[in-house]
């Protein structure tokens, strides 16, 4: 977009764009974002904001090719790219290659509707890696197929994104029925829909469960889009939605060597009131501690959410096969499994996590490379 008009006003620069829109840039913001304030190599800001006047004064502004030249009363001159001003209009979030519109899903998607991607392509090709990440960010759930039977085949794929999130269960974890389990996942019992590790200050972002064997009777997987459940609850029972987003509850995991707990709401909203996170795990919800007069209403709200997780209208069910890996946003999509009978065969999933930050970083870097290819 190019500029139709520039006007220096008290405390701000007013830019009229050729499409007729008007953007106001406060002078302190313009001065704070002068490119001369960035380290030439790292591009980090080295300018000390407190070294500036509290109210810097802009004397003149003029077009200079693809830049705007700004002259300040203290003698400083800034050359600001038009693209920078256009891309950072106050009140509008800058474009982000990792910000993906989310497509909510319910049972009618069907397990055949889950986006599927080939392991060999993801490993070999950045375009295939990008396509898989875009699908995973948008729908919160994908299946990677054609993994070999090495235990590390799944972490090789996850490692294409970034480093793995280490937790009290290790950098990777083996979901098998164990003789001395510290977690229900390591038994053969059914796991109702849940998100993992809501007791962590920041629960793991994306979860990877690589199926190495699923020969036992039972052991099918269930998934539900927690954002779809929450969206429907918000419409049908706004009071319940509000309570789940406003009242923090304790979540706690403890075993011999750890006692990790946090107080957070089931639903986390951002500053625009948009849902950004679901924490739901009935097994490690702690002892509710809200004032007793709020408890009955909270229990109603919590049960309303829980009842929705049991509603087949939200469920996708499938039985993972050896060589498949499910990948899902653990702070959005709930996962669960049916009980299985270990005497009838072996079941083994190998799991790991990659946090949202690493995932988003990979998406941005891949997008940057794609832009270069397109520009070349
Ligand atoms: C887990 C889990 C699901 C499964 O390990 O957190 O939910 O299918 N496992 O065993
Ligand atoms: Zn789990």
């Amino acid at each position: 977009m190019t500029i139709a008009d520039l006007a220096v006003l008290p405390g701000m620069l007013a830019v009229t764009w050729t499409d007729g829109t008007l953007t106001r840039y406060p002078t302190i913001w313009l001065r704070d974002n002068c490119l001369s304030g960035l380290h030439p190599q790292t591009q980090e800001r080295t300018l000390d904001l407190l070294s500036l006047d509290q109210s810097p004064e802009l004397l003149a502004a003029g077009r200079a090719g693809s830049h705007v030249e700004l002259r300040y009363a203290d003698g400083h001159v800034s050359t600001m790219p038009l693209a920078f001003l256009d891309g950072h209009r106050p009140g509008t979030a800058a474009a982000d290659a990792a910000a993906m519109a989310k497509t909510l899903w319910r049972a009618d998607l069907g397990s055949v509707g889950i986006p599927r991607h080939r392991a060999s392509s993801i490993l070999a090709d950045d375009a295939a890696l990008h396509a898989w990440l875009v699908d995973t960010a948008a729908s919160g759930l994908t299946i990677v197929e054609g993994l070999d039977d090495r235990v590390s085949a799944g972490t090789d794929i996850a490692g294409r994104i970034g480093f793995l999130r280490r937790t009290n269960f290790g950098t990777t974890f083996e979901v098998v029925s164990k003789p001395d389990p510290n977690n229900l996942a390591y038994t053969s019992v059914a796991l109702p829909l849940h998100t993992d590790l809501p007791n962590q200050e920041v629960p793991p972002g994306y979860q990877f469960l690589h199926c190495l064997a699923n020969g036992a009777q039972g052991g099918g997987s269930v998934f539900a889009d927690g954002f779809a459940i929450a969206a429907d609850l918000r419409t049908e029972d706004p009071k319940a939605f509000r309570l789940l987003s406003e009242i923090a509850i304790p979540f706690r995991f403890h075993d011999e060597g750890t006692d990790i707990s946090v107080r957070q709401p089931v639903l986390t909203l951002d500053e625009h009131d948009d849902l950004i996170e679901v924490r739901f795990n009935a097994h490690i919800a702690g002892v509710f501690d809200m004032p007793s007069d709020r408890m009955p209403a909270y229990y109603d709200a919590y049960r309303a959410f829980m009842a929705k997780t049991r509603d087949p209208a939200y469920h996708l069910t499938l039985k993972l096969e050896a060589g498949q890996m499910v990948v899902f946003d653990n702070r959005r999509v709930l996962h669960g499994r049916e009980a299985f009978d270990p005497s009838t065969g072996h079941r083994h999933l190998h799991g790991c996590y990659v946090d949202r930050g690493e995932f988003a970083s990979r998406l941005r870097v891949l997008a940057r490379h794609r832009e270069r290819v397109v520009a070349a």
Side-chain angles (χ1 to χ4, degrees):
M1 179 86 53
T2 53
I3 286 178
D5 188 47
L6 283 175
V8 176
L9 303 176
M12 72 176 76
L13 174 74
V15 173
T16 307
W17 301 94
T18 44
D19 68 357
T21 53
L22 175 77
T23 313
R24 294 182 182 87
Y25 299 91
T27 309
I28 182 78
W29 181 94
L30 291 165
R31 187 66 187 80
D32 183 34
N33 286 294
C34 176
L35 295 184
S36 67
L38 303 182
H39 187 277
Q41 277 140 342
T42 71
Q43 299 294 305
E44 291 165 295
R45 184 184 282 103
T46 49
L47 173 78
D48 176 7
L49 179 61
L50 292 184
S51 71
L52 303 179
D53 272 359
Q54 190 163 350
S55 309
E57 193 188 338
L58 197 54
L59 295 180
R63 286 281 304 276
S66 59
H67 291 73
V68 169
E69 196 177 84
L70 303 174
R71 298 188 168 274
Y72 293 88
D74 66 357
H76 188 81
V77 179
S78 279
T79 309
M80 295 206 93
L82 284 183
F84 181 86
L85 293 172
D86 190 13
H88 296 276
R89 301 186 187 201
T92 312
D96 181 0
M100 221 61 70
K102 295 192 168 27
T103 42
L104 304 189
W105 46 264
R106 296 170 182 76
D108 59 339
L109 177 70
S111 58
V112 289
I114 301 171
R116 284 159 205 255
H117 292 258
R118 294 296 301 171
S120 54
S121 311
I122 293 169
L123 289 171
D125 174 17
D126 277 356
L129 171 62
H130 185 258
W132 167 53
L133 296 184
V134 167
D135 276 350
T136 309
S139 61
L141 172 66
T142 55
I143 296 177
V144 178
E145 297 191 304
L147 278 77
D148 58 56
D149 55 12
R150 284 173 308 118
V151 169
S152 63
T155 53
D156 286 354
I157 303 263
R160 283 280 279 150
I161 305 172
F163 55 83
L164 307 185
R165 164 79 179 265
R166 191 172 171 194
T167 76
N168 55 303
F169 295 106
T171 307
T172 65
F173 48 91
E174 309 295 336
V175 188
V176 281
S177 177
K178 297 179 190 177
D180 189 16
N182 65 344
N183 178 334
L184 280 176
Y186 305 154
T187 69
S188 59
V189 305
L191 296 177
L193 285 166
H194 64 280
T195 61
D196 273 12
L197 277 56
N199 59 303
Q200 292 278 354
E201 184 181 6
V202 179
Y206 287 86
Q207 179 164 180
F208 303 73
L209 289 173
H210 169 204
C211 177
L212 288 152
N214 208 358
Q217 264 169 28
S221 300
V222 191
F223 297 93
D225 186 348
F227 281 19
I229 291 177
D232 291 349
L233 186 69
R234 192 172 206 164
T235 321
E236 294 160 18
D237 190 348
K239 187 175 154 225
F241 181 91
R242 229 354 95 198
L243 289 174
L244 291 171
S245 65
E246 284 175 0
I247 296 188
I249 58 168
F251 294 92
R252 180 182 182 210
F253 172 87
H254 59 296
D255 64 4
E256 194 58 27
T258 57
D259 193 339
I260 305 170
S261 103
V262 78
R263 294 181 78 264
Q264 286 291 342
V266 168
L267 304 176
T268 304
L269 310 182
D270 68 9
E271 76 268 32
H272 307 295
D273 256 9
D274 289 330
L275 181 67
I276 49 171
E277 174 170 37
V278 174
R279 293 180 192 241
F280 186 79
N281 191 323
H283 297 302
I284 59 171
V287 180
F288 291 174
D289 58 2
M290 68 284 296
S292 49
D293 59 342
R294 302 199 76 183
M295 235 171 232
Y298 188 81
Y299 267 105
D300 286 350
Y302 189 78
R303 286 173 58 104
F305 187 91
M306 195 172 202
K308 280 198 153 341
T309 71
R310 304 275 168 86
D311 184 345
Y314 295 102
H315 293 177
L316 298 182
T317 54
L318 59 118
K319 180 152 179 178
L320 285 171
E321 292 166 18
Q324 290 183 324
M325 177 165 75
V326 270
V327 183
F328 50 94
D329 181 345
N330 177 59
R331 292 158 67 188
R332 165 180 170 186
V333 169
L334 299 113
H335 64 286
R337 71 148 189 249
E338 298 172 322
F340 60 95
D341 179 354
S343 71
T344 56
H346 186 49
R347 185 178 192 276
H348 181 186
L349 308 184
H350 187 66
C352 67
Y353 308 106
V354 173
D355 274 334
R356 280 184 176 177
E358 272 60 57
F359 188 99
S361 162
R362 180 60 53 215
L363 265 175
R364 293 188 193 109
V365 172
L366 289 169
R368 207 194 281 166
H369 288 186
R370 286 160 70 85
E371 275 162 27
R372 275 197 209 122
V373 172
V374 172

